[in-house]
Amino acid sequence: RKAFARHGPLSEVTVPTDATTKRGKGFAYVQYMFPEHAVKALAALDGTIFQGRLLHMLPAKLPRDRDPGRPRGDRGGADSSFKAEKEARQRREAERPVSWN
């Protein structure tokens, strides 16, 4: 935390831990109060050695737009546009006068 706090005020630091060993998984999420501090820290710390390990820092990606009421693992279900298009295409193809005999 101290290494990152040198570059600006932190709002949150999360270190995921392994459930069985209770040790850190080897990465962390660091969130700054202001984006310019995060950019400054990224430029200063990426590729440096910290506690005998090479720091490889990646900026966070913006979350994809999703419906807040929809669970994270839900991939569409019945209201999916792909599924609706597929059903519409099957209905159109079913109306064609084709004799299979």
Side-chain angles (χ1 to χ4, degrees), residues 6-85:
R6 284 187 223 138
H7 300 284
L10 301 173
S11 64
E12 186 177 350
V13 176
T14 306
V15 180
T17 56
D18 185 86
T20 55
T21 63
K22 306 291 188 222
R23 294 179 58 193
K25 290 187 175 185
F27 63 96
Y29 298 100
V30 179
Q31 186 174 1
Y32 285 87
M33 293 279 199
F34 303 104
E36 52 271 6
H37 293 142
V39 172
K40 188 172 109 177
L42 178 67
L45 295 174
D46 190 30
T48 61
I49 303 294
F50 177 73
Q51 295 181 352
R53 292 186 161 208
L54 179 68
L55 283 181
H56 178 63
M57 297 174 59
L58 299 171
K61 296 178 184 176
L62 291 174
R64 291 187 288 170
D65 293 334
R66 66 178 187 90
D67 182 15
R70 194 165 109 190
R72 282 198 149 174
D74 189 9
R75 296 188 183 221
D79 61 344
S80 167
S81 62
F82 174 78
K83 191 170 184 177
E85 289 174 15

Side-chain angles (χ1 to χ4, degrees), residues 83-94:
K83 191 170 184 177
E85 289 174 15
K86 181 179 174 185
E87 289 175 354
R89 185 176 65 244
Q90 287 176 336
R91 282 190 205 104
R92 284 192 308 269
E93 290 174 1

